[in-house]
Amino acid sequence: MLEKMAEFNQEKVIDEFEATTKAAERVQIETLKKILEENGSAEYLQNLGLNGRTDPESFKNCVPLVTHKELEPFIQRIADGDSSPILTGKPITTISLSSGTTQGKPKFVPFNDELMESTMQIYRTSFAFRNKEFPLGNGKSLQFIYSSKQFKTKGGLAAGTATTNLFRNSQVKASMKAIQFQPCSPDEVIFGPDFHQSLYCHLLCGLIFRDEVEFIFSTFAHSIMHAFKTFELVWEELCTDIREGVLSSRVTDPSVRVAVSKLLKPNPELADLISNKCSGLSNWYRLVPELFPNAKYIYGIMTGSMEPYLKKLRHYAGELPLLSADYGASEGWIGANVNPKLPPELATFSILPNIGFFEFLPLRENIEYQEPDFLCMEPKPVGLTEVKIGEDYEIIVTNFAGFYRYRLGDVVKVMGFHNSTPELKFVCRRNLLLTINIDKTTEKDLQLAVEEAGKVLGEEKVEVVDFTSHVDSSTEPGHYVVFWEISGEASVEVLKECCNCLDRSFLDAGYVSSRKVKAIGALELRVVRRGTFQKILDHYLGLGGAVSQFKTPRCVGPANNLVLQILCGNVVESYFSGAF
Ligand code: AMP
């Protein structure tokens, strides 16, 4: 099937998507049937008493909602080499590592051909719509993609991040080529053992092919921003390499050196051109279109925890559009962005009804019925076509990779429908809450508060580079701590005002009322040393994560002790709010 995908027919892909989404309800029933038929022999399903039934009602009655924790023992057995049908009919031969930024350590999840196919289906679908609006020629793309360290599990299964598992697959490569994902960099750079060397070489290869680069890509926007920040530091060295045709000694890995050196010839004209362009820029504004005059857009996931990087990306991008990519997880894909013209802040994801069976746990009710206790019933999940516009839900996935009624842990809002499939906006991770008393602060609330306080800081021409938060319950009462890395020096008065502004900007009613009665202590703003968030990134890479999948944890809980240590060990100043 993947071989067939290598031929790309834009209109056909769009027509298929329209037909599938028009018949979303029927397609959901058929997809569930297919999943249960293909995997009916799996021990997990056998034990649940479905007895061959494949209809949604029986499925919901027999199969419990689960999280990764409940599946862990099954996945561990797979990883340990038990090749009996445990979660899927066909044995799982590869394990993916999710980024694990929430829990502090990567999670194991099964990876199989079906997951690969649905990934390609999502990519092809969004590409078809994107290419209609922003057609590409036959050029290349500058892709900041990296492989994680790969290793074998105890049972001998290959394990790496989901993106790594994808990039390594030759059929995926062919399909990616068909949708214009032709990287400037050779494979040796993508799979290089050292992220810093790979990044340097990606930049170099991008410059060598600068006229051919048609778009800039990374899975998550953070990597794109990080790459251009690095460019600011190494551009002169890159120019020297291009001028002399000799690769910098900072690239030490032999295979990467050989591969990149082959592309490098002395080119003083190009070096002068880039050097002049860089020198002529004001604070690196419009860096990307200056470097890549034929680039049509920048592409990557820019929603959710990536939104705080948009400002910086827009600065580098100038007039070049930022196109937000699709929505999924290592566990499986959910939806494609088929409205690429919308700015990332408004991006939605249309669910592909044939890649899984989707249910939605209403969250509004959940909150309303919390008190008193006897009313505290979990609301019933609703089906794909039963969701209501404007409501928030936790998404529940059943798919071909061994997940049955799996709580992904993400909160989404239904913004509308594409035919009869919902268009979702990503809201936040459900478990990323700062909570001390009756307050419930989400990742989104934190992001908005940081945006507000960032405006105060902006008056001094200083920016928030990155941020995270923590609940400090070692004080009585406990209080919120917000960690900031900032781009320059700011006065004590301004930082105090930022701290007050943060405290005032958490609008959750539980927070405000608890602050007023001092059931929650004064918010603390801790400014950390420059480079602290780079240390956190390095820490995740050390755990086997890949930069392409990195998401800064926006709330550091007790399970994430090592990250907390990095943060606390790098605090340079701290302020308490006087807002209440
Ligand atoms: P991972 O655990 O590394 O597989 O990352 C998956 C998680 O990344 C999802 O559960 C979401 O929380 C987040 N994510 C993935 N795609 C998007 C998106 N388009 N917008 C916002 N967050 C996303």
Side-chain angles (χ1 to χ4, degrees):
M1 183 171 176
L2 280 164
E3 286 299 337
K4 263 194 274 160
M5 283 178 194
E7 300 264 320
F8 180 76
N9 179 334
Q10 185 166 309
E11 288 313 314
K12 192 164 162 249
V13 172
I14 293 179
D15 288 348
E16 271 171 20
F17 176 75
E18 297 297 346
T20 320
T21 51
K22 274 181 191 151
E25 193 176 349
R26 174 175 57 77
V27 174
Q28 278 287 274
I29 294 170
E30 287 169 4
T31 305
L32 178 66
K33 185 165 182 272
K34 196 162 168 230
I35 293 172
L36 295 179
E37 279 173 358
E38 282 184 17
N39 299 293
S41 60
E43 172 190 321
Y44 184 81
L45 288 176
Q46 289 275 319
N47 289 342
L48 294 171
L50 273 164
N51 299 327
R53 285 170 297 167
T54 59
D55 61 289
E57 270 324 297
S58 309
F59 177 66
K60 288 184 203 170
N61 288 337
C62 297
V63 180
L65 298 183
V66 289
T67 63
H68 188 268
K69 195 160 163 260
E70 284 88 47
L71 293 188
E72 217 166 349
F74 296 93
I75 300 174
Q76 195 59 52
R77 275 173 54 206
I78 296 171
D80 289 347
D82 184 341
S83 60
S84 64
I86 296 176
L87 287 170
T88 49
K90 273 188 285 174
I92 298 282
T93 53
T94 310
I95 293 286
S96 285
L97 290 169
S98 79
S99 57
T101 30
T102 316
Q103 270 80 30
K105 65 174 187 349
K107 294 180 295 201
F108 275 8
V109 299
F111 182 85
N112 61 8
D113 287 350
E114 285 74 10
L115 210 56
M116 213 147 59
E117 282 186 16
S118 59
T119 306
M120 290 321 304
Q121 201 193 331
I122 288 266
Y123 282 7
R124 281 184 310 145
T125 305
S126 58
F127 176 72
F129 284 89
R130 197 162 68 248
N131 211 45
K132 213 167 128 184
E133 304 288 355
F134 303 92
L136 296 177
N138 211 8
K140 292 186 187 301
S141 56
L142 171 54
Q143 301 187 26
F144 296 106
I145 55 177
Y146 311 89
S147 145
S148 63
K149 288 191 192 106
Q150 274 212 319
F151 63 94
K152 292 266 184 232
T153 65
K154 195 173 142 204
L157 277 72
T161 57
T163 38
T164 306
N165 290 334
L166 276 177
F167 300 152
R168 283 201 184 274
N169 187 285
S170 59
Q171 288 173 317
V172 167
K173 263 196 204 160
S175 304
M176 293 295 271
K177 223 173 179 176
I179 57 169
Q180 317 289 97
F181 272 77
Q182 292 230 60
C184 295
S185 308
D187 274 0
E188 288 81 352
V189 173
I190 299 168
F191 298 112
D194 179 89
F195 155 69
H196 301 281
Q197 294 182 28
S198 291
L199 168 54
Y200 184 87
C201 292
H202 278 320
L203 289 167
L204 187 59
C205 295
L207 294 177
I208 294 171
F209 295 108
R210 74 183 281 268
D211 289 326
E212 290 174 55
V213 170
E214 292 197 297
F215 69 100
I216 322 290
F217 167 76
S218 188
T219 314
F220 285 98
H222 176 269
S223 309
I224 306 176
M225 184 204 64
H226 186 261
F228 288 110
K229 269 188 170 174
T230 306
F231 180 88
E232 289 184 25
L233 304 175
V234 300
W235 67 278
E236 284 164 304
E237 202 174 324
L238 289 164
C239 286
T240 306
D241 290 7
I242 293 172
R243 187 180 313 282
E244 293 168 4
V246 180
L247 185 58
S248 158
S249 59
R250 71 160 69 218
V251 180
T252 54
D253 180 75
S255 66
V256 177
R257 277 201 77 82
V258 170
V260 177
S261 298
K262 274 189 201 150
L263 304 173
L264 202 57
K265 294 180 191 70
N267 190 342
E269 294 79 29
L270 179 60
D272 285 344
L273 183 87
I274 295 164
S275 174
N276 287 338
K277 286 203 177 287
C278 291
S279 313
L281 291 175
S282 162
N283 194 24
W284 302 101
Y285 176 64
R286 290 190 72 259
L287 171 64
V288 180
E290 285 295 333
L291 292 181
F292 308 105
N294 296 317
K296 299 191 172 62
Y297 52 80
I298 297 180
Y299 183 59
I301 293 176
M302 299 178 184
T303 37
S305 61
M306 297 296 132
E307 267 183 46
Y309 308 120
L310 285 173
K311 194 169 162 215
K312 188 79 186 171
L313 262 186
R314 287 204 167 101
H315 182 82
Y316 287 135
E319 69 285 359
L320 215 56
L322 301 184
L323 272 51
S324 198
D326 311 311
Y327 171 36
S330 305
E331 292 90 335
W333 284 91
I334 314 283
N337 178 2
V338 298
N339 298 305
K341 276 186 146 172
L342 288 178
E345 288 86 347
L346 302 178
T348 57
F349 309 101
S350 300
I351 296 199
L352 268 63
N354 62 348
I355 59 173
F357 179 75
F358 299 96
E359 295 171 78
F360 296 83
L361 200 56
L363 292 182
R364 181 72 53 76
E365 281 174 47
N366 213 3
I367 292 164
E368 280 169 11
Y369 289 109
Q370 252 177 15
E371 305 276 350
D373 267 348
F374 64 88
L375 280 178
C376 185
M377 292 177 293
E378 272 281 295
K380 272 208 159 124
V382 298
L384 180 82
T385 52
E386 294 164 344
V387 292
K388 294 202 180 76
I389 294 178
E391 297 288 315
D392 286 358
Y393 298 91
E394 181 184 342
I395 193 157
I396 297 165
V397 181
T398 297
N399 65 17
F400 292 92
F403 292 96
Y404 308 98
R405 309 198 82 204
Y406 177 81
R407 295 173 74 151
L408 195 59
D410 287 343
V411 178
V412 294
K413 188 186 275 308
V414 178
M415 304 305 286
F417 284 88
H418 185 104
N419 295 319
S420 42
T421 202
E423 291 176 324
L424 307 177
K425 186 172 164 56
F426 179 88
V427 179
C428 58
R429 296 281 307 163
R430 190 174 178 184
N431 61 355
L432 271 190
L433 287 179
L434 289 167
T435 175
I436 291 175
N437 187 6
I438 53 167
D439 51 314
K440 277 198 164 50
T441 293
T442 65
E443 186 183 344
K444 187 78 195 171
D445 297 329
L446 172 68
Q447 186 193 319
L448 293 175
V450 170
E451 250 171 58
E452 273 312 299
K455 287 181 196 156
V456 179
L457 190 66
E459 286 163 17
E460 294 234 321
K461 304 254 174 304
V462 181
E463 286 169 17
V464 180
V465 173
D466 222 329
F467 64 93
T468 187
S469 66
H470 168 66
V471 162
D472 185 348
S473 37
S474 67
T475 56
E476 185 51 53
H479 66 282
Y480 289 8
V481 179
V482 177
F483 293 93
W484 270 12
E485 181 174 323
I486 58 177
S487 63
E489 296 289 318
S491 67
V492 169
E493 288 69 37
V494 165
L495 286 169
K496 269 190 183 159
E497 186 42 36
C498 290
C499 181
N500 291 344
C501 179
L502 278 171
D503 206 5
R504 278 195 302 266
S505 301
F506 284 109
L507 297 179
D508 169 68
Y511 183 74
V512 178
S513 58
S514 302
R515 281 290 288 124
K516 281 185 181 154
V517 298
K518 308 262 182 286
I520 294 180
L523 181 139
E524 185 182 356
L525 170 62
R526 294 187 195 164
V527 179
V528 294
R529 224 168 256 126
R530 290 299 304 270
T532 302
F533 282 82
Q534 175 68 43
K535 286 188 188 154
I536 294 176
L537 170 65
D538 290 338
H539 164 74
Y540 278 107
L541 298 187
L543 293 178
V547 182
S548 330
Q549 246 171 283
F550 179 73
K551 302 173 246 354
T552 299
R554 295 293 179 212
C555 172
V556 182
N560 221 340
N561 198 26
L562 288 171
V563 172
L564 196 58
Q565 278 176 22
I566 297 174
L567 286 163
C568 294
N570 283 284
V571 173
V572 283
E573 352 170 31
S574 102
Y575 302 90
F576 281 93
S577 154
F580 288 87

